[in-house]
Amino acid sequence: MPSTAATQEARVLRLAKSRKLLRARDLAAHGLPTIALTRLVQTGKLERLARGMYGLPGVAVSEHRSLAEVALRVPKGVICLLSALRMHDIGTQAPFEIWLAIPYRAAAPQLAQQQLRIVRMSDRALADGVQRIKVDGVTVPVFSAAKTVVDAFRFRNKIGLDVAIEALRDGWSKRKFTMDELWRHVQSGRMTSVMRPYVEAITA
């Protein structure tokens, strides 16, 4: 009959297989002791990916793994701008930083493993147009393609007008959003006068 420790470790490994990214707090939610993580790392059955974060060794992971790690560590953040464009496969930008929107008054997170580019937004803007995409078993909040394109124009001084225009053209040509979706975010973001000429150009 397996020992209690062996049974606990088997349950932890099952969790790791289903989630790919495992945190100590995930064990607590299942009534499992965190010492099981230490034992599994020592025997090579798990590897420590970052502080408080574990996974199975040698398991193929998504190219967006770093976004999943950020989502776990900054639950109030939303992936935005260049990182969101990359996630939606829009444009040619390949940012080395992770662009993250957080509330105005929230403290800027400090993560050792990832470089963050913080963008401050109102609670209303943070709640609008958010999609939840699964990455390695983690639910990652990311702005929709339409909202991200509008934000690209809104924050054009940060990322460049050329990047915003490319995002609009590429997103439209790839049918990442409908014109109704785009225009709703244009209006709610009060970007009508800025974006109208560019929207008319791609639909002419």
Side-chain angles (χ1 to χ4, degrees):
M1 187 173 181
S3 66
T4 300
T7 301
Q8 291 170 343
E9 290 173 15
R11 289 177 62 192
V12 172
L13 288 174
R14 282 198 296 272
L15 272 178
K17 287 177 183 176
S18 66
R19 300 188 181 210
K20 290 192 179 180
L21 283 177
L22 190 63
R23 298 170 298 172
R25 72 176 68 175
D26 296 327
L27 270 66
H30 287 79
L32 294 166
T34 54
I35 188 64
L37 290 171
T38 302
R39 291 195 297 261
L40 289 166
V41 170
Q42 289 172 345
T43 57
K45 294 177 181 178
L46 281 182
E47 61 180 354
R48 187 174 181 269
L49 303 171
R51 184 179 177 184
M53 206 168 293
Y54 303 83
L56 294 169
V59 172
V61 297
S62 164
E63 65 170 305
H64 301 303
R65 158 66 69 90
S66 59
L67 304 186
E69 294 177 3
V70 169
L72 287 174
R73 294 185 175 279
V74 192
K76 290 186 178 180
V78 182
I79 303 299
C80 68
L81 292 170
L82 300 188
S83 295
L85 289 175
R86 182 74 171 177
M87 211 165 181
H88 290 300
D89 189 29
I90 295 174
T92 58
Q93 299 299 307
F96 66 92
E97 301 168 303
I98 296 174
W99 288 71
L100 189 72
I102 63 173
Y104 279 123
R105 293 182 178 83
Q110 301 293 325
L111 305 183
Q113 288 76 27
Q114 290 89 19
Q115 287 185 275
L116 300 181
R117 187 70 179 270
I118 298 300
V119 178
R120 304 274 180 178
M121 293 188 183
S122 67
D123 290 343
R124 183 184 66 80
L126 280 168
D128 190 24
V130 177
Q131 294 180 337
R132 302 192 183 277
I133 300 174
K134 283 283 188 179
V135 177
D136 290 341
V138 176
T139 300
V140 178
V142 56
F143 286 124
S144 69
K147 171 74 157 48
T148 300
V149 167
V150 173
D151 282 343
F153 279 90
R154 181 181 168 201
F155 292 98
R156 60 195 180 280
N157 290 337
K158 287 182 180 289
I159 67 171
L161 179 60
D162 57 331
V163 174
I165 295 170
E166 178 192 50
L168 174 62
R169 288 175 176 165
D170 196 44
W172 178 246
S173 68
K174 290 179 178 176
R175 299 183 180 180
K176 296 290 184 176
F177 48 78
T178 66
M179 192 51 63
D180 284 345
E181 289 172 328
L182 181 69
W183 204 249
R184 183 179 75 78
H185 289 293
V186 168
Q187 292 176 323
S188 65
R190 299 177 182 176
M191 295 297 296
T192 304
S193 61
V194 172
M195 290 189 64
R196 187 186 296 278
Y198 301 103
V199 173
E200 290 177 347
I202 66 169
T203 56

